[in-house]
Amino acid sequence: MTLPAAPPRQLISARYLLPTWRQQDCIEDGAVLVYGDTIEAIGSRSDLHRRHPDLPELHEPHGLIMPGLVNTHTHAPMSCFRGLADDLPLMTWLQDHIFPVEARLDRETVRLAAELSIAEMIKSGTTSFCDMYLFADQVAQAADATGMRCWFGEVLYDFDSPCYGALENGLRLTGDLIEQYRDHSLITATVNPHSIYTCAPELLERCGELAADTVSLLVIHLAETQFEVQTCRERYGLTPTRHLDRLGLLGERTLAAHCVWLDDGDIELLSKRGVSVAHCVESNLKLASGVAPIPRLLDHGVTVALGTDGSASNNDVDLFAEMSSVAKVHKGVNLDPTVMSAETTLRAATLGGAEALGAGQLIGTLAPGKQADLIVLDLDQPHLTPLYNIPSHLVYAARGADVIHSLIAGRLVMKQRQLQTIDEAAIIAAMQALGDRVQAIRNTVRTSC
Ligand SMILES: CSC[C@H]1O[C@@H](n2cnc3c(O)ncnc32)[C@H](O)[C@@H]1O
Ligand SMILES: [Zn+2]
């Protein structure tokens, strides 16, 4: 499918415009003036109409325009393993079920499954995602073909990879991908050591050096389970966070996924070093890993963003569902309904995500000069009526399926819930066929064990 070009100048307008995560910033009968991939102006519809009377306009009289959501931790191709193994703790799930089938993955599967997740993300309001996986160039190609904004990286660990074979090749591949995508406007390559329990200290150090030398984001799973903390203490006498710090990996371009098991010293260290946290509450709940101390991290000034993790541990990539879970879980575990307010949660899903990816100047809010990454929701729905407070509805009542239009860098990638850059029916049919092949692989793996 060829990508439709963005009209040079267009007006997107609706009943409400929420340019940030704050109710006080809401503009009634608002509009966004888009010039190419950039926001030229935001304001009242009547004012922008008066100044630009003849522009093409996408108007939703019952709609809400808001920033596109940012999913900061995904394994997009894991959509092909959705529902394959559930109701297990992380290490059993990974070692006995996921790693064996991943060892037989190929490029075509990764490409198809990544595109399926991108379709699901766009249909639920996400306009940017940060992905770690095998055959990661296929994730980048899927993003490129569909017009999605993406940070991606090839996973690095001590064992051989079905993608690059020996580790040395993986480090070289990562460097090459960073160079290859350096000038791409929507896609950025990152450095991705999997975790402290799959990467030896030497590998972690080399990843830190590569990220520093190439000024790249370093993404890692950190302190996800009690098992990880215990293993790290036994092996290195340190918590996972202090272990990474000793190896020089904690800094402003570090994005740590999960961060469930942190002590006070770890939290202070993450704050001091400027590390951002990708909070994946639904995956952590489903794998029974625990609940990350997000209110305490926020109190310490840590940038908190949201991630869904892969579709095999969530089991979807819908950030609206994630926001609802995030806001409620922390109230429940802290016995305090004031923590993780709707506005705080919405910030984490938008500007927090952008900041975690080093793109706070580019995306995450709607403002002149920023990229035109925005979504439009249909508010004319029973579950969104009446309306007193927009962040409240977005976090506690809205669903991904309420998103009707989506623009990424000024390009309309979904119009009236029809994907414009993806042949949705074809992808679903292909994935159904692939599911049968994955099942066959799984049966082979099981009988050979
Ligand atoms: C090969 S890229 C990513 C790698 O991580 C595995 N994975 C998926 N979810 C998690 C998680 O929550 N913690 C640790 N590792 C995870 C995935 O299966 C891939 O192997
Ligand atoms: Zn993960």
Side-chain angles (χ1 to χ4, degrees), residues 317-361:
V317 287
D318 181 344
L319 275 178
F320 276 95
E322 200 72 25
M323 282 197 287
S324 173
S325 300
V326 166
K328 291 169 192 161
V329 161
H330 295 288
K331 296 176 199 319
V333 297
N334 289 284
L335 302 178
D336 181 356
T338 67
V339 300
M340 290 312 283
S341 67
E343 289 195 349
T344 302
T345 305
L346 186 58
R347 189 188 192 285
T350 52
L351 188 61
E355 288 172 347
L357 298 170
Q361 303 298 319

Side-chain angles (χ1 to χ4, degrees), residues 105-342:
L105 271 180
D106 57 44
R107 308 194 105 73
E108 293 69 34
T109 305
V110 168
R111 169 64 201 260
L112 174 65
E115 199 159 327
L116 185 82
S117 281
I118 290 171
E120 190 188 343
M121 284 192 260
I122 293 174
K123 291 196 84 175
S124 52
T126 292
T127 51
S128 296
F129 71 110
C130 177
D131 206 74
M132 170 197 287
Y133 210 60
L134 305 143
F135 300 105
D137 65 313
Q138 297 300 305
V139 176
Q141 286 186 27
D144 195 29
T146 55
M148 187 72 163
R149 196 180 296 279
C150 166
W151 280 254
F152 77 102
E154 183 70 36
V155 72
L156 300 167
Y157 35 42
D158 291 335
F159 17 97
D160 285 359
S161 153
C163 171
Y164 52 75
L167 173 59
E168 211 52 46
N169 303 328
L171 286 159
R172 201 168 36 245
L173 172 65
T174 300
D176 291 347
L177 288 170
I178 290 168
E179 285 320 309
Q180 188 184 334
Y181 282 91
R182 193 167 285 293
D183 297 324
H184 199 292
S185 58
L186 296 185
I187 302 177
T188 309
T190 62
V191 180
N192 285 223
H194 175 265
S195 62
I196 61 104
Y197 56 93
T198 52
C199 300
E202 194 212 338
L203 170 55
L204 292 171
E205 274 175 337
R206 292 184 69 187
C207 287
E209 284 159 17
L210 180 58
D213 290 349
T214 57
V215 197
S216 301
L217 190 71
L218 184 142
V219 184
I220 188 165
H221 295 105
L222 181 65
E224 184 173 0
T225 60
Q226 280 176 304
F227 169 83
E228 176 182 337
V229 177
Q230 196 185 321
T231 314
C232 193
R233 282 191 185 282
E234 281 163 18
R235 279 191 206 160
Y236 310 112
L238 294 168
T239 65
T241 305
R242 290 185 183 83
H243 176 57
L244 279 193
D245 193 47
R246 193 158 75 172
L247 297 171
L249 263 71
L250 298 187
E252 286 175 6
R253 282 188 301 275
T254 306
L255 175 55
H258 302 298
C259 294
V260 174
W261 295 97
L262 303 174
D263 65 21
D264 289 348
D266 293 333
I267 292 176
E268 267 157 37
L269 203 47
L270 292 176
S271 166
K272 193 160 128 195
R273 298 281 184 256
V275 173
S276 297
V277 170
H279 177 36
C280 306
V281 80
E282 291 195 347
S283 171
N284 297 155
L285 289 173
K286 182 162 179 281
L287 294 163
S289 301
V291 176
I294 298 302
R296 282 201 289 142
L297 285 163
L298 287 169
D299 285 347
H300 280 76
V302 173
T303 297
V304 171
L306 303 190
T308 55
D309 215 357
S311 288
S313 62
N314 185 303
N315 288 359
D316 60 49
V317 287
D318 181 344
L319 275 178
F320 276 95
E322 200 72 25
M323 282 197 287
S324 173
S325 300
V326 166
K328 291 169 192 161
V329 161
H330 295 288
K331 296 176 199 319
V333 297
N334 289 284
L335 302 178
D336 181 356
T338 67
V339 300
M340 290 312 283
S341 67

Side-chain angles (χ1 to χ4, degrees), residues 13-19 23-31 42-47 59-61 63-65 379 387-388 390:
S13 60
R15 174 85 179 89
Y16 297 104
L17 164 63
L18 186 71
Q23 171 67 21
Q24 69 191 54
D25 298 331
C26 177
I27 300 171
E28 268 192 58
D29 296 313
I42 65 166
S44 81
R45 182 179 179 225
S46 55
D47 188 34
H59 178 58
E60 282 302 331
L64 161 72
I65 304 168
L379 297 177
L387 186 148
Y388 304 109
I390 293 174

